[in-house]
Amino acid sequence: MRTHGTEASAGRKAGLWLPVAANLGLGIPAIVPLYLTWWLVTEYLPMDCRSVADLAEPDLANCGYHTLDHAPIVMLALAVTGLFGLAAVVVIDVVLPLRHGLRLSWWLGAAVLIPAPFLVGLALS
C-alpha cells in the first residue's frame, strides 16, 4: 500500500489547482466589498454635493438625497467587510502556504482571481 506523504507534498502535487480554487472561493464573499466600492465610485463620487445642506442650491444637477443618506452606511459596511476580506486573503494566501511549505508565488499570483466572480456578475447584469 502506498502512502501519500505529508500535506506539503500533497499540496506540491496539486500544482496551481488548489491556489486557483481557493482564490476563486475567496472571490465569492469578496463580492460584497467589491460591490460597495463600485457603488461609492459610480454613485457617490460623481455627485456635485457632499451634504444635505447642498441640496438647497439650485445649480446642482447631480445631487441625490438617497445617495447622501446611504453613503455613511455603505462606507462603514465597506470598512468592515473589507477588513474581514483582507484578513481572509492574508490567512489563505500567505499564512497557510508558508505554514505548509507551499510555493507562496503560486498563491499570491492566483490572488488576482479574487475579483473574478464580481466581474462576471457585473458583466452579466
Side-chain angles (χ1 to χ4, degrees), residues 84-122:
F84 280 123
L86 185 60
V89 169
V90 168
V91 168
I92 300 285
D93 285 336
V94 177
V95 174
L96 291 178
L98 287 176
R99 184 175 222 198
H100 294 290
L102 302 174
R103 295 184 80 172
L104 191 61
S105 61
W106 288 359
W107 288 84
L108 294 176
V112 300
L113 296 173
I114 292 173
F118 172 73
L119 295 174
V120 168
L122 192 63

Side-chain angles (χ1 to χ4, degrees), residues 2-112:
R2 184 177 177 193
T3 60
H4 294 289
T6 65
E7 290 179 22
S9 65
R12 285 189 195 104
K13 291 178 186 176
L16 282 174
W17 290 108
L18 190 58
V20 167
N23 282 296
L24 285 175
L26 281 173
I28 301 299
I31 289 174
V32 174
L34 289 171
Y35 174 75
L36 295 173
T37 303
W38 178 80
W39 184 88
L40 284 171
V41 168
T42 60
E43 298 291 327
Y44 182 70
L45 289 181
M47 285 193 338
D48 296 331
C49 57
R50 292 291 174 243
S51 71
V52 179
D54 293 340
L55 289 171
E57 295 182 23
D59 59 340
L60 294 179
N62 186 18
C63 189
Y65 175 76
H66 294 291
T67 305
L68 285 173
D69 188 42
H70 294 120
I73 298 165
V74 170
M75 289 181 203
L76 177 65
L78 175 59
V80 171
T81 59
L83 285 175
F84 280 123
L86 185 60
V89 169
V90 168
V91 168
I92 300 285
D93 285 336
V94 177
V95 174
L96 291 178
L98 287 176
R99 184 175 222 198
H100 294 290
L102 302 174
R103 295 184 80 172
L104 191 61
S105 61
W106 288 359
W107 288 84
L108 294 176
V112 300

